[in-house]
Amino acid sequence: MQFDRKQKSDSELLEIYKRLLFPRLVEEKMLILLRQGRIGKWFSGIGQEAIAVGSTLAMQSDEYILPMHRNLGVFTARDIPLRKLMAQWQGKVTGFTKGRDRSFHFGTQEYKIIGMISHLGPQMALADGIALADLIAEKPKATLVFTGEGATSEGDFHEAINVASVWNLPVIFLIENNGYGLSTPINEQYKCKHLVDRAIGYGIQGVQLDGNNILEVYDKLNEIAEDIRQNPRPVLVECLTFRMRGHEEASGTKYVPQHLFNVWAQKDPVKNFEDYLLEENILTEQLITEIRNTFKKQIDSEVELAFAEPEPQANADQELADMYYPYHANAINPTTTNSEKRYLDAITDGLKIAMQRHSNLVLMGQDIAEYGGAFKITDGFVAEFGKARVRNTPICESAIVGAGLGLSINGFKSVVEMQFADFVSVGFNQIVNNLAKTHYRWGEKADVVVRMPTGAGTGAGPFHSQSNEAWFTKTPGLKIVYPAFPSDAKGLLLAAIEDPNPVIYFEHKYLYRSLTGLVPEGFYTLEIGKANTLQKGEQLSIITYGLGVHWALDYLKSNPEISAILVDLVSLQPWDKEAVKAAVKATGRVLVLHEDTLTNGFGAEISAWISENCFEYLDAPVMRCASLDTAIPMSKVLENDFLAKAKLPEFVTKLLAY
């Protein structure tokens, strides 16, 4: 192995050696502890240390790095105390995740490291968002994100690099190609000769490096980072290396031919660099022994201190509270006059006020810039706020939701528009596993609103009409709102944008231009989690939300002899249990109405809660009026029969007759 020291002094080379050696010795300690049964799992990076250490040393200390689970050298090179890391690995309360997650599945703003989740690829989109925040803020910074050769098969890899390419984001996408994705060799992972060649397809620079050569990795990454800080653009780097241990220790290495171990053992990054420094008379055998002994004593001490740290104590109230970033805001009442606005225009007004109020708010979505969005909600926004903050996106929902989280991590806010709520399915993982769990796992906010144009009534068929709120209401960490009126649409949107937690904002397409109402001018917010009781009554209570509110209003208006309480939930997570309980107590008969299908729709949760908590007030079973358990048909005749509205008279009659 050839090393080029360039202009580095002896002391600089010695420091690099120490940085390279330390994670190797930590790894060796972990293997001993594993054999002793003192730890239960370990993902070894032995043989790959030069990549993690070299690339980290090339980055500025305040630049974000997004590593994988075999990148111990990133964490040690950023000087995270081993005691703290060990506490994390052992699930101690003093770890970064308080025992809630393991390994390197955490982030830390103090050290500017954002860990992965087990789904591998999603961290790449976060890097896009982090870099986008720097780009908009005109900060000359680079972002480094790791992936493995196996994860390059995931859609997240392609989406993230394409977005970075289109937007000229200063991101270094680093592939650690160690030959195997767990046990699957590269010839079963991809067909191209070199992964770096994929850069050509995205119109970006690609660089292939000897990942076991610490100086080559450091020098080239330093060169790339310096360049893209001044000339923002992404670069794809493939580092060739080898994994000398199993995917994790329990999996073993029997699937790897022995000759590969023999070949790569000769390329050991620590041994080769050590030999080079001996040849250069920078190291001596005595100094090596002294350094190793010093490190081993430090490691032994730090490890034992971590073992002595306290275990987490179960506290359900604390667990529930930590699902969300601490935030409570009372509603801010409007101070101006009302004007008549369509539902759609109220949303536009809310977005515009939020953009004026927050210079760090970014809107992202397909066709939302000059075109103004599929429903023209952002028409004219580019002229007022500029393309940096009103961004057309490629068709890649996962990457854009992930970029929203990256923006939040780096001090920005974002509103992501799904062109139709149905399309969120291809961004599902980022929402339920990244947005929803980030604060619980390591205390970081996820300041992202996802706008969801939803619902039926327009004959748009199975892929543009679904009511999919129940996909998200069962996911802790998300807030879900669903306004039924223009004034609520504006006030809830502004509240959602103010809230540093992830909010899924459902807006019904059928109401966009068909519903008008008085909407206060200027800034105001509504309390998320607060229902509206729209009318009083004595015979039954109808609990509903969204378009169901208008079905119920129309039905009750046409049947004035029926005396009903009508509760518009407005928010589905959290939802207003007190308002529901009051309605149950007042009438003893409850109908839960919603546009979604019956089975496992959100109404099932309302019904179950009433049965458990309000049983003594009931004079009849809680009934649910919902849509058919089918996909949504396009034909108007079939759609009308599908929707719960068609069954509402039947259910009211049945409930009153009980």
Side-chain angles (χ1 to χ4, degrees):
M1 186 176 294
Q2 298 296 314
F3 292 97
D4 183 357
R5 66 184 294 168
K6 299 188 186 302
Q7 305 303 316
K8 298 178 188 65
S9 66
D10 288 359
S11 61
E12 287 174 319
L13 291 173
L14 183 59
E15 178 63 20
I16 290 173
Y17 169 71
K18 291 178 179 179
R19 294 290 191 174
L20 183 63
L21 176 63
F22 187 75
R24 170 65 64 86
L25 297 181
V26 173
E27 294 255 22
E28 291 175 356
K29 177 67 174 181
M30 293 303 109
L31 297 181
I32 292 171
L33 293 173
L34 196 65
R35 289 194 292 271
Q36 293 173 340
R38 298 186 71 190
I39 63 174
K41 200 175 187 72
W42 183 251
F43 293 89
S44 177
I46 289 178
Q48 300 183 201
E49 297 93 343
I51 302 171
V53 173
S55 60
T56 301
L57 294 177
M59 303 297 289
Q60 295 174 355
S61 61
D62 61 347
E63 291 179 322
Y64 285 93
I65 301 177
L66 296 90
M68 298 281 281
H69 54 343
R70 224 176 302 284
N71 295 133
L72 173 61
V74 171
F75 298 83
T76 58
R78 280 276 166 101
D79 292 320
I80 298 181
L82 180 57
R83 177 179 179 177
K84 183 81 170 177
L85 289 173
M86 190 68 192
Q88 168 65 25
W89 302 333
Q90 287 302 99
K92 299 289 188 174
V93 71
T94 52
F96 288 95
T97 64
K98 303 179 184 178
R100 292 168 178 161
D101 212 336
R102 66 180 184 192
S103 186
F104 295 123
H105 295 193
F106 69 90
T108 162
Q109 288 284 14
E110 181 181 0
Y111 297 97
K112 292 293 182 284
I113 295 175
I114 309 301
M116 57 174 287
I117 63 173
S118 292
H119 300 67
L120 300 183
Q123 78 278 2
M124 299 181 72
L126 272 62
D128 283 351
I130 290 168
L132 176 59
D134 286 333
L135 194 68
I136 295 173
E138 298 183 347
K139 294 180 180 178
K141 296 295 178 184
T143 299
L144 171 65
V145 59
F146 287 75
T147 191
E149 81 292 326
T152 65
S153 300
E154 292 195 338
D156 289 285
F157 172 85
H158 302 278
E159 289 190 19
I161 294 181
N162 188 55
V163 168
S165 173
V166 172
W167 288 355
N168 287 318
L169 301 178
V171 181
I172 301 170
F173 295 99
L174 193 156
I175 305 169
E176 288 184 292
N177 190 343
N178 62 25
Y180 286 85
L182 208 157
S183 69
T184 306
I186 56 175
N187 65 298
E188 296 179 27
Q189 289 282 359
Y190 56 86
K191 194 73 172 177
C192 55
K193 185 176 182 181
H194 301 294
L195 284 171
V196 71
D197 293 339
R198 292 186 174 179
I200 298 170
Y202 300 106
I204 66 175
Q205 179 185 359
V207 177
Q208 189 180 76
L209 301 176
D210 178 355
N212 284 24
N213 187 320
I214 182 70
L215 296 188
E216 183 175 330
V217 173
Y218 170 76
D219 288 334
K220 192 60 182 180
L221 266 292
N222 185 53
E223 175 190 318
I224 292 170
E226 285 187 354
D227 193 19
I228 67 175
R229 289 176 193 125
Q230 304 304 320
N231 303 292
R233 67 190 190 283
V235 177
L236 181 64
V237 177
E238 180 185 15
C239 289
L240 301 178
T241 186
F242 190 72
R243 193 180 69 216
M244 298 299 289
R245 308 290 301 184
H247 169 72
E248 43 85 26
E249 289 304 309
S251 68
T253 58
K254 291 182 179 179
Y255 50 84
V256 182
Q258 183 58 46
H259 77 271
L260 287 179
F261 285 109
N262 297 336
V263 169
W264 283 95
Q266 301 302 311
K267 301 179 182 180
D268 183 292
V270 177
K271 183 66 168 61
N272 275 280
F273 192 53
E274 191 173 83
D275 289 344
Y276 168 71
L277 296 183
L278 285 167
E279 293 172 6
E280 294 287 307
N281 295 316
I282 297 170
L283 275 179
T284 64
E285 294 292 349
Q286 180 180 350
L287 183 55
I288 291 172
T289 300
E290 291 174 1
I291 293 171
R292 284 177 172 266
N293 287 340
T294 300
F295 280 165
K296 286 180 179 180
K297 288 179 182 178
Q298 177 187 348
I299 291 166
D300 288 344
S301 173
E302 292 280 292
V303 164
E304 294 306 320
L305 287 171
F307 273 120
E309 297 280 8
E311 300 288 342
Q313 298 296 311
N315 183 326
D317 290 339
Q318 188 64 54
E319 291 295 290
L320 290 168
D322 281 356
M323 279 309 309
Y324 297 91
Y325 190 88
Y327 177 79
H328 178 75
N330 294 320
I332 299 175
N333 296 322
T335 58
T336 55
T337 58
N338 297 334
S339 63
E340 194 80 11
K341 279 186 172 61
R342 297 179 301 175
Y343 186 93
L344 177 148
D345 297 326
I347 295 171
T348 296
D349 194 27
L351 282 175
K352 185 171 292 187
I353 289 171
M355 289 289 281
Q356 294 165 345
R357 183 178 174 86
H358 298 286
S359 60
N360 65 336
L361 175 60
V362 178
L363 307 184
M364 298 185 290
Q366 296 161 26
D367 306 300
I368 70 165
E370 290 85 354
Y371 187 71
F375 301 101
K376 302 302 180 184
I377 284 177
T378 53
D379 193 21
F381 275 43
V382 167
E384 182 170 352
F385 303 109
K387 291 203 70 170
R389 295 178 59 208
V390 184
R391 305 187 77 88
N392 279 338
T393 71
I395 301 175
C396 53
E397 286 79 2
S398 181
I400 300 309
V401 174
L405 179 54
L407 282 165
S408 176
I409 287 169
N410 204 7
F412 275 64
K413 303 168 79 72
S414 67
V415 176
V416 176
E417 178 188 301
M418 294 294 130
Q419 197 165 77
F420 292 87
D422 313 65
F423 298 167
V424 78
S425 56
V426 287
F428 192 72
N429 181 47
Q430 290 283 11
I431 292 176
V432 302
N433 282 319
N434 252 339
L435 293 187
K437 294 180 174 68
T438 290
H439 184 263
Y440 175 76
R441 288 170 51 242
W442 56 280
E444 176 66 22
K445 67 185 183 306
D447 198 347
V448 181
V449 176
V450 182
R451 285 184 47 228
M452 301 276 279
T454 191
T458 59
F463 304 116
H464 296 76
S465 309
Q466 295 174 86
S467 295
N468 53 7
E469 62 273 9
W471 295 0
F472 304 101
T473 51
K474 79 166 301 297
T475 303
L478 301 176
K479 295 186 179 182
I480 320 293
V481 297
Y482 201 147
F485 296 96
S487 59
D488 290 346
K490 178 179 174 181
L492 276 177
L493 180 57
L494 286 167
I497 293 170
E498 294 297 311
D499 196 317
N501 290 286
V503 181
I504 312 300
Y505 177 92
F506 284 90
E507 52 196 66
H508 205 292
K509 305 188 303 294
Y510 182 79
L511 300 177
Y512 276 157
R513 293 176 172 84
S514 66
L515 180 67
T516 60
L518 291 175
V519 178
E521 298 291 341
F523 178 79
Y524 68 96
T525 64
L526 300 178
E527 182 181 346
I528 294 176
K530 188 72 172 175
N532 290 329
T533 300
L534 300 178
Q535 65 180 57
K536 300 289 187 179
E538 299 176 352
Q539 292 178 287
L540 80 157
S541 298
I542 300 176
I543 314 296
T544 187
Y545 57 90
L547 192 56
V549 173
H550 299 282
W551 292 340
L553 284 170
D554 291 345
Y555 175 77
L556 294 173
K557 184 177 180 181
S558 300
N559 297 273
E561 72 281 3
I562 296 175
S563 177
I565 292 176
L566 177 58
V567 177
D568 173 9
L569 288 173
V570 186
S571 296
L572 306 184
Q573 192 62 266
W575 58 279
D576 193 340
K577 296 177 174 64
E578 291 305 312
V580 169
K581 185 175 184 178
V584 176
K585 290 177 67 174
T587 66
R589 285 178 166 81
V590 181
L591 178 65
V592 182
L593 168 68
H594 60 59
E595 183 179 342
D596 194 10
T597 51
L598 177 68
T599 302
N600 292 323
F602 188 63
E605 172 63 23
I606 304 294
S607 176
W609 186 88
I610 292 171
S611 296
E612 289 181 18
N613 296 276
C614 306
F615 184 76
E616 65 269 33
Y617 308 123
L618 291 172
D619 298 322
V622 178
M623 294 186 183
R624 291 177 293 150
C625 180
S627 298
L628 288 176
D629 282 336
T630 70
I632 304 177
M634 183 199 71
S635 160
K636 195 64 178 170
V637 172
L638 296 177
E639 184 185 57
N640 287 341
D641 185 64
F642 162 86
L643 290 171
K645 179 182 180 181
K647 309 174 191 66
L648 182 57
E650 171 194 343
F651 272 84
V652 172
T653 300
K654 181 179 178 182
L655 183 58
L656 291 176
Y658 187 86

